[in-house]
Amino acid sequence: MRIRLIHALALLATGLLAGAFGYGAANLVPTFNAVPLDMRLSFHAELMKMNGITMQSAMAVSTLSSLTLAALTHGRARLISGTAGLLAVASFLVTRLGNVPINGRIKQWALTSAPADHAEVLRRWELFNNIRTLTALAAFALLIVLAVGGRPSTTRPTHHQADKPK
């Protein structure tokens, strides 16, 4: 029962994470690119204030629940849930080391003005955004595979009576 609850939590958190990143990649980024730069910078800076807590929480719960599931299972289930946890860690690292520093620059630009190389910096932010979206989506997909592939194994496999010599 405990493993099923942890698996459900991992699915929920990782699904929310992949969904939020996916929505951003499919809808927000094209909208950012369609509006005037000053509007994009102001909106981007405000959005990041709201996203900080929710996205960090989703990444933390995704990571911890997937890795906990890996610790409580064996075999294929451990491999799949552990990989999902590492992909959630990758989403966090890309966000923290790639997107967040650029978000800080965008916040400053919103108050002043964008530098001459702003288009390249914004393209780099979009690349990081695509990478973290894909890693979150892959983590979610792995947890779905685990869910539809059967109940996670909590014990090591045992031999059936029929396999034992008589």
Side-chain angles (χ1 to χ4, degrees):
M1 179 59 123
R2 177 178 59 163
I3 288 181
R4 289 179 68 178
L5 290 174
I6 292 169
H7 191 182
L9 179 62
L11 276 167
L12 176 63
T14 308
L16 289 171
L17 182 65
F21 282 150
Y23 178 83
N27 296 297
L28 288 177
V29 171
T31 303
F32 282 163
N33 292 330
V35 300
L37 182 62
D38 62 331
M39 184 182 293
R40 177 204 176 136
L41 298 178
S42 296
F43 182 74
H44 193 119
E46 287 301 313
L47 183 63
M48 293 311 110
K49 289 179 190 175
M50 301 303 293
N51 277 354
I53 294 171
T54 57
M55 297 308 291
Q56 287 181 38
S57 298
M59 286 184 274
V61 174
S62 295
T63 299
L64 294 174
S65 58
S66 295
L67 294 177
T68 299
L69 185 61
L72 296 175
T73 58
H74 297 281
R76 179 177 171 267
R78 175 174 280 173
L79 178 64
I80 291 172
S81 54
T83 302
L86 292 176
L87 286 165
V89 169
S91 291
F92 170 77
L93 291 173
V94 169
T95 299
R96 187 71 191 109
L97 301 175
N99 295 95
V100 169
I102 296 173
N103 289 342
R105 292 174 71 180
I106 290 170
K107 184 178 178 181
Q108 290 302 314
W109 300 347
L111 299 174
T112 57
S113 64
D117 70 338
H118 73 275
E120 177 56 34
V121 174
L122 294 174
R123 273 193 293 279
R124 226 174 36 249
W125 184 93
E126 290 177 20
L127 173 65
F128 291 133
N129 189 59
N130 289 337
I131 292 168
R132 70 184 181 174
T133 299
L134 291 173
T135 56
L137 183 60
F140 184 46
L142 285 173
L143 292 169
I144 290 171
V145 166
L146 187 58
V148 299
R151 193 167 142 213
S153 172
T154 58
T155 59
R156 298 193 189 277
T158 60
H159 297 287
H160 295 305
Q161 289 292 342
D163 294 339
K164 290 184 180 179
K166 294 183 180 182

